Amino acid sequence: MNFQTKNIIASVLLCFIVSLAQAQQKDDASKCRYVKTATGYLMVLRESDNVIESIEKLVREEKIPSGNFTGIGFAQEVTFGFYDFNLKKFNPKTFNKVEMGSITGSIAWNGDKPSLHIHGVATDDNFNAYGGHILALKVGTGSMEVYITLNNEKLERKIEQPLNANVLQLPCVK
């Protein structure tokens, strides 16, 4: 076999390997992220998925009127916010490579956009726990499971003063 033939075979083999790797990446990207259950939905998010964006996307796609959710899993990073009532804003703090021991939240709407209110607890490799209002959450190595329970009635959130807080509005029972 001459040098030119070896180069052609090596080039064809390289193209095949690259095509196979791209096909595998497409399979991973198209994996199902949620399924319908008897009471709502089960989401399984994977490394680098943005949890908040993923839940908001599901809420829009499935036209979820309102609900609540819980979750667990490994986080690449989570940003908690502690609300400063004097400044009327969140003071954020980010933690990396933590285990989300608990995520809990509610789903409502603010106009035509989903409005999530999420709290959680994360632990580091020394078993120190951190928690509070979640401002951002990205899945780490492995996965994150989110269980969503539906409510039939559409609920809204509105900014209320004097705290400038986005508060869930309940319809009056007659």
Side-chain angles (χ1 to χ4, degrees), residues 29-110:
S30 66
K31 282 184 180 173
C32 179
R33 293 294 194 255
Y34 66 88
V35 295
K36 182 92 172 91
T37 67
T39 57
Y41 294 89
L42 167 60
M43 297 185 84
V44 177
L45 303 174
R46 292 172 177 80
E47 188 171 2
S48 297
D49 282 347
N50 181 313
V51 176
I52 295 172
E53 287 178 4
S54 297
I55 295 171
E56 288 175 343
K57 181 179 178 187
L58 171 70
V59 170
R60 282 190 304 275
E61 285 178 358
E62 298 296 328
K63 298 175 180 60
I64 294 173
S66 65
N68 60 300
F69 57 91
T70 61
I72 54 173
F74 194 73
Q76 185 175 50
E77 73 176 38
V78 59
T79 302
F80 291 108
F82 191 83
Y83 196 73
D84 184 323
F85 290 102
N86 294 323
L87 296 176
K88 298 179 184 174
K89 68 174 193 164
F90 284 102
N91 292 322
K93 186 161 186 180
T94 300
F95 299 90
N96 297 298
K97 296 182 180 174
V98 293
E99 186 77 28
M100 298 305 298
S102 176
I103 303 165
T104 186
S106 62
I107 300 167
W109 290 82
N110 192 333

Side-chain angles (χ1 to χ4, degrees), residues 97-155:
K97 296 182 180 174
V98 293
E99 186 77 28
M100 298 305 298
S102 176
I103 303 165
T104 186
S106 62
I107 300 167
W109 290 82
N110 192 333
D112 62 349
K113 295 181 181 176
S115 177
L116 306 181
H117 185 188
I118 310 170
H119 284 242
V121 176
T123 59
D124 63 19
D125 59 351
N126 291 314
F127 299 97
N128 295 310
Y130 311 96
H133 185 91
I134 295 177
L135 301 173
L137 178 58
K138 188 182 285 189
V139 180
T141 304
S143 66
M144 192 165 294
E145 300 167 12
V146 180
Y147 300 86
I148 299 167
T149 304
L150 302 181
N151 297 329
N152 293 329
E153 188 163 348
K154 184 174 182 179
L155 296 177

